[in-house]
Amino acid sequence: MDYDTYGSTAVELAIELANADRSDPEWARRFLASHDDWFTPGTPLELSPGETHKAGATAEIVRAVALAETQDDVLARLNQLLAIARPRPYATDHDGELHLHYARPDAPVLEQLTTTVAMGLSQVVVQHGWQRLGVCSAENCDDVYVDTSRNASRRYCSNTCASRSTVAAYRARQKT
């Protein structure tokens, strides 16, 4: 599957947000700091407790889009995500390549995050189909992923989960 660089990495940001461990109250601060290249330089990366809750709600909607089993469910959840986004696209060449950014450069960090995630996820769904989103088939893993394989055959979130599952299946066969 081939999609534009900025859009593809925006959907990867969405997937990473959906898979973020939100059990620690500091999860959002760590997530934003580890993805600071997505935000306009100088944007404060601190969220209030209410904003942290909203970022978590955005993550849950992304997960819900990936978990949806019908196109109607995907569209309903995707439109829920788009309703909280505030797209104000603009063209830039700040990294040497022309591309679009989805949120205005002076937007607060939560708005930049939500809008980028919503637009990246929606582009992949609309351009490549909702079936490209999935949940890992490995035992004890519920991470979501976007399937970029040529024939839409991906079943695992990572090579680690795929290898672990292959080894477990091999060992199970050897026992019988």
Side-chain angles (χ1 to χ4, degrees), residues 98-114:
L98 290 174
H99 62 275
L100 289 176
H101 278 250
Y102 302 123
R104 65 191 194 344
D106 61 336
V109 69
L110 181 61
E111 184 176 320
Q112 289 184 46
L113 175 67
T114 302

Side-chain angles (χ1 to χ4, degrees), residues 99-137:
H99 62 275
L100 289 176
H101 278 250
Y102 302 123
R104 65 191 194 344
D106 61 336
V109 69
L110 181 61
E111 184 176 320
Q112 289 184 46
L113 175 67
T114 302
T115 300
T116 302
V117 162
M119 297 305 293
L121 190 63
S122 62
Q123 277 190 324
V124 168
V125 168
V126 169
Q127 292 175 1
H128 302 287
W130 64 273
Q131 300 89 341
R132 289 290 183 160
L133 302 174
V135 179
C136 187
S137 296

Side-chain angles (χ1 to χ4, degrees), residues 33 45 50-51 68 95 99 124 137 167 176:
L45 300 180
E51 291 171 325
D95 62 358
H99 62 275
V124 168
S137 296
V167 169
T176 58

